[in-house]
Amino acid sequence: MTAAAHRLGRRPVDKVAARRSELAAAALKTLAERGYAQTGLRDIAQNSDFSHGVLHYYFADKTDLITHCVREYKERCATRYDEVVATATTAEELAAGFLRKLTETLTDEAPMHRLWYDLRNQSMFEPAFRADVAEIDLLLERMIGRIVTRYAELSGRTPQVAPPVVYAVFDGLFQQALLRQLAGVPSAAGELRAAVGQVLPHLVR
Amino acid sequence: MTAAAHRLGRRPVDKVAARRSELAAAALKTLAERGYAQTGLRDIAQNSDFSHGVLHYYFADKTDLITHCVREYKERCATRYDEVVATATTAEELAAGFLRKLTETLTDEAPMHRLWYDLRNQSMFEPAFRADVAEIDLLLERMIGRIVTRYAELSGRTPQVAPPVVYAVFDGLFQQALLRQLAGVPSAAGELRAAVGQVLPHLVR
DNA sequence: GATGCTCTTTGACGACTGTCAAGACTTCTC
DNA sequence: GAGAAGTCTTGACAGTCGTCAAAGAGCATC
């Protein structure tokens, strides 16, 4: 532990963690652009301020790097709708805010979403990814769960479908919309909006 | 065209197509085992009766091969529930048969399903795959659509949700179940059964 | 049996892969 | 300022990738 670290109240491990996070972010960017199958360590390094060797300094191997990428991804995505949930005062307002955020992220962050589906799929083949992927999937499930719970509250009804099922349903709808969006179908966001709007009322009673 | 081909009333192009199909089948097997990112042409050849060079004889390049794989996959999967649809005489019988087939294929053909999701995801990055993948997705959508239509008929009601939405919903449920199944969760099939059984009544009115 | 055609194997090419060691550069400690 | 510790670059390694040319094998035809 350095004196400077003492002075700033910051341990060296934080610096290492920060660099790791920085490199994982560069890796995420590359993976979102090219996909897991087409992404090498040198591609990732080129999207960062460092050379490819530094990756082996901060990560044991490629699997370790990808694992940290998944965790980095987690930090970003699990609070997307929390503000809407916190501020909405009616069921209609909540639904509208959810739909707005949902279609926004579909159009604005499509590459990031395809990366997530790519990594989640890799976990079907590579056991090393499974635990972290499952953890994020659970996080996302709870995020959706909070929306539906609040939606039920605001509309004076009760949730009728268990959170894992609700999440699977919305995830399926979103994935289909993402496929269309990336294929250049301009109506993808609108169709997603319509589909979710149609499904939402069925989840409470 | 050879004389033999004439005699048998079989054009040489059919032999070529048959071999292509055979190699694509070997490729599918390999892809289901190892995933797209970890599958090379030599791996595929080792799962066939031929050496790796023959792949370049029957396919222009790797993309061409994968495209044929997707089409080969199509031939197998789109009629899975047709018998159930044709023979069921009551809504309950249809639902039960659908659920049985659904959980059966989840447990017995999990590697093949993860391959499909892998290839569909690749199409988000590789435009060359998009058309064929979209075509299969449409086939699957119609397959699910036939079930719901018949289910509505048998129960004297009418479908309330458009086929693309129904397909997306079931696909999302199935994908979550597949993730759990491949992660070794023994209750995956049962949970899928429960979830689909819970959702199905909401689709008609 | 020789010829020509189709199919298949073999081996090699250049490029790329993940990994890692050696050294250079920076930063901190005393 | 010397030395140590931490950080980063460079270059190379063994292996794999997709691709393809050359030659061999199998077989029908003349």
Side-chain angles (χ1 to χ4, degrees), chain A residues 1-19:
Chain A
M1 191 183 295
T2 66
H6 263 128
R7 258 184 278 113
L8 295 170
R10 193 180 46 175
R11 299 172 310 163
V13 65
D14 289 345
K15 258 180 83 177
V16 170
R19 179 74 76 222

Side-chain angles (χ1 to χ4, degrees), chain A residues 2-3 40-42 56 61-62:
Chain A
T2 66
L41 295 181
R42 285 162 183 83
H56 182 257
D61 52 22
K62 196 188 181 185

Side-chain angles (χ1 to χ4, degrees), chain A:
Chain A
M1 191 183 295
T2 66
H6 263 128
R7 258 184 278 113
L8 295 170
R10 193 180 46 175
R11 299 172 310 163
V13 65
D14 289 345
K15 258 180 83 177
V16 170
R19 179 74 76 222
R20 262 205 266 259
S21 181
E22 184 182 353
L23 290 168
L28 278 175
K29 186 180 172 219
T30 315
L31 287 163
E33 284 170 6
R34 305 168 47 90
Y36 178 80
Q38 304 297 331
T39 298
L41 295 181
R42 285 162 183 83
D43 302 314
I44 295 171
Q46 264 191 330
N47 267 334
S48 77
D49 295 331
F50 307 95
S51 65
H52 71 274
V54 83
L55 290 169
H56 182 257
Y57 181 80
Y58 286 99
F59 302 99
D61 52 22
K62 196 188 181 185
T63 300
D64 187 32
L65 168 58
I66 301 293
T67 298
H68 275 81
C69 283
V70 174
R71 292 184 179 147
E72 181 78 16
Y73 175 84
K74 178 181 63 181
E75 307 293 329
R76 307 186 182 183
C77 65
T79 60
R80 184 172 291 124
Y81 309 105
D82 286 1
E83 199 205 330
V84 174
V85 171
T87 60
T89 56
T90 68
E92 289 71 28
E93 192 184 333
L94 176 56
F98 173 49
L99 282 171
R100 182 171 43 79
K101 284 279 182 189
L102 193 68
T103 51
E104 241 177 52
T105 195
L106 177 73
T107 54
D108 299 349
E109 308 174 294
M112 200 190 64
H113 290 294
R114 74 179 170 186
L115 155 66
W116 160 244
Y117 289 118
D118 197 7
L119 292 181
R120 192 173 73 173
N121 250 280
Q122 293 307 317
S123 82
M124 292 197 199
F125 296 95
E126 175 55 67
F129 299 155
R130 268 172 209 169
D132 289 289
V133 164
E135 190 187 325
I136 296 189
D137 231 23
L138 189 61
L139 233 60
L140 296 171
E141 177 188 313
R142 286 177 181 154
M143 179 178 75
I144 298 296
R146 286 193 295 275
I147 296 171
V148 174
T149 302
R150 185 69 180 140
Y151 179 78
E153 276 178 19
L154 289 172
S155 58
R157 289 174 284 186
T158 56
Q160 285 298 303
V161 183
V165 178
V166 175
Y167 171 58
V169 165
F170 282 152
D171 192 61
L173 290 169
F174 190 80
Q175 207 169 339
Q176 281 293 323
L178 184 60
L179 277 161
R180 285 175 170 76
Q181 171 74 23
L182 290 167
V185 178
S187 58
E191 289 165 14
L192 174 62
R193 178 184 288 269
V196 172
Q198 195 176 2
V199 168
L200 204 48
H202 284 278
L203 304 177
V204 296
R205 187 169 56 192

